[in-house]
């Protein structure tokens, strides 16, 4: 592994470690998203706690955390497998942020951003899948799990050479949602628009 590869992997992790949810919460004087609402420092929880504009800022920044390192690595000539590792490091930074006690979010937006350079066709299909499941069920977590689970299949038909790295990334995101899967099965998961209930609920361990 070359020094440039190690540099990009480290940079992706450090970029991913910047928790926009916590920074935006401080900027808008919102409750700490790691201890209020769902306990997840991500755009969905910020939507519940603070509304659309702060959530949009968090979503945009989290997407860019995945897109920028992968795009830079692509133009540096990295192989698809190495691009997948860069994407995973960005997501690991979001999940285990160096600057915030290694307690982060689910990395869905960051993973989406990392897949964005593959093409607008994949991005559009993933967004459509997420919206379909959100409007059908109301569960952001279920929509994310469904979209990311379909991403390797969609990638195979769009740019098959990226199927393996996307599969690696998808496995990480689904594994990160294991607690959400348990709550969905038990009927205890919070719906995306249930702001009041989420704000009162203590985060799950």
């Amino acid at each position: 592994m070359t020094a440039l590869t190690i540099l990009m992997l480290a940079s992706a992790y450090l970029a991913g470690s910047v928790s926009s949810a916590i920074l935006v919460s401080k900027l808008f004087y919102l409750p700490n998203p790691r201890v209020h609402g769902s306990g997840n420092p991500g755009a969905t929880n910020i939507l519940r706690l603070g509304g659309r504009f702060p959530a949009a800022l968090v979503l945009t920044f989290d997407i860019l955390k995945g897109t920028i390192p992968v795009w830079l690595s692509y133009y540096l000539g990295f192989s698809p497998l190495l691009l997948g590792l860069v994407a995973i490091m960005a997501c690991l930074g979001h999940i285990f942020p160096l600057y915030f006690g290694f307690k982060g979010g689910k990395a869905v937006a960051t993973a989406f951003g990392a897949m964005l350079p593959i093409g607008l066709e994949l991005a559009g299909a993933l967004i459509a899948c997420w919206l379909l499941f959100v409007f059908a069920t109301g569960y952001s977590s279920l929509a994310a799990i469904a979209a990311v689970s379909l991403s390797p299949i969609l990638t195979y038909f769009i740019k098959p050479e990226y199927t393996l790295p996307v599969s690696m990334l998808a496995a990480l995101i689904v594994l990160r949602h294991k607690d959400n899967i348990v709550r969905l099965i038990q009927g205890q998961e919070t719906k995306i628009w249930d702001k009041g209930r989420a704000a009162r609920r203590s985060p799950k361990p």
Side-chain angles (χ1 to χ4, degrees):
M1 188 174 290
T2 67
L4 181 60
T5 302
I6 295 172
L7 176 63
M8 287 308 303
L9 292 173
S11 298
Y13 172 76
L14 293 175
S17 291
V18 180
S19 179
S20 58
I22 295 176
L23 296 177
V24 168
S25 294
K26 291 181 179 181
L27 179 64
F28 287 90
Y29 301 100
L30 301 176
N32 187 336
R34 294 191 294 179
V35 295
H36 290 84
S38 67
N40 178 56
T44 301
N45 199 26
I46 294 298
L47 175 64
R48 298 184 183 111
L49 297 173
R52 295 178 181 177
F53 182 65
L57 291 178
V58 172
L59 179 63
T60 300
F61 188 81
D62 285 351
I63 289 174
L64 291 176
K65 289 194 305 186
T67 302
I68 293 174
V70 172
W71 229 323
L72 285 175
S73 299
Y74 173 80
Y75 282 109
L76 288 172
F78 282 30
S79 68
L81 180 58
L82 287 179
L83 290 175
L85 292 178
V86 170
I88 287 173
M89 289 302 292
C91 290
L92 287 176
H94 184 90
I95 296 169
F96 305 109
L98 176 65
Y99 319 118
F100 298 95
F102 300 98
K103 183 181 178 183
K106 300 292 170 51
V108 174
T110 304
F112 172 76
M115 296 180 198
L116 196 55
I118 293 176
L120 294 179
E121 302 96 330
L122 178 61
L126 293 175
I127 292 172
C129 179
W130 187 85
L131 289 173
L132 176 64
F133 274 85
V134 164
F135 284 114
T137 69
Y139 294 111
S140 175
S141 58
L142 179 59
I145 293 166
V148 79
S149 297
L150 287 172
S151 61
I153 300 173
L154 295 170
T155 302
Y156 177 80
F157 288 104
I158 296 171
K159 287 188 178 178
E161 64 270 26
Y162 293 103
T163 302
L164 176 59
V166 168
S167 298
M168 295 161 51
L169 191 57
L172 172 65
I173 302 304
V174 171
L175 180 62
R176 181 61 174 160
H177 280 78
K178 61 183 186 303
D179 293 336
N180 301 86
I181 294 171
V182 171
R183 291 199 294 271
L184 284 165
I185 293 173
Q186 295 175 345
Q188 299 176 352
E189 184 75 331
T190 303
K191 293 190 175 183
I192 191 171
W193 47 70
D194 196 353
K195 179 177 179 179
R197 179 184 169 192
R200 295 190 300 268
R201 197 182 75 178
S202 298
K204 299 290 181 181

